[in-house]
Amino acid sequence: MKNLVWLLVAAVIALGGYMLFTGKGPQEVATEASDAINAPAVVDEVTEAAEQAGEAVSDVVDEATQSANDAAQEVSE
């Protein structure tokens, strides 16, 4: 039990020192922690956007290939 109390005291001192050193208040520290926890949601959004962009590029390449094939067939006829 005594070790737990010392651990809590050390955590409070470390948090106080961090806030004193950075000049941030408790609200700002809590906001940063919340943003860090929600970071995976941002990663998922970026991944989804990249997949959509990849699909769009693939569609454009397919259309360009089809147009080139059509043009080649017309020239050969």
Side-chain angles (χ1 to χ4, degrees):
M1 185 69 178
K2 189 174 183 179
N3 289 336
L4 180 62
V5 171
W6 281 112
L7 183 64
L8 290 175
V9 169
V12 168
I13 290 172
L15 183 61
Y18 174 77
M19 290 190 312
L20 180 65
F21 182 71
T22 60
K24 296 179 181 177
Q27 184 66 30
E28 292 170 319
V29 172
T31 302
E32 285 180 1
S34 175
D35 291 344
I37 291 171
N38 292 332
V42 173
V43 172
D44 291 339
E45 290 175 8
V46 170
T47 303
E48 184 178 331
E51 288 174 356
Q52 291 175 352
E55 290 173 3
V57 168
S58 176
D59 291 344
V60 168
V61 169
D62 289 342
E63 290 175 12
T65 304
Q66 184 63 37
S67 296
N69 286 339
D70 292 344
Q73 286 179 351
E74 288 178 13
V75 168
S76 67
E77 290 176 357

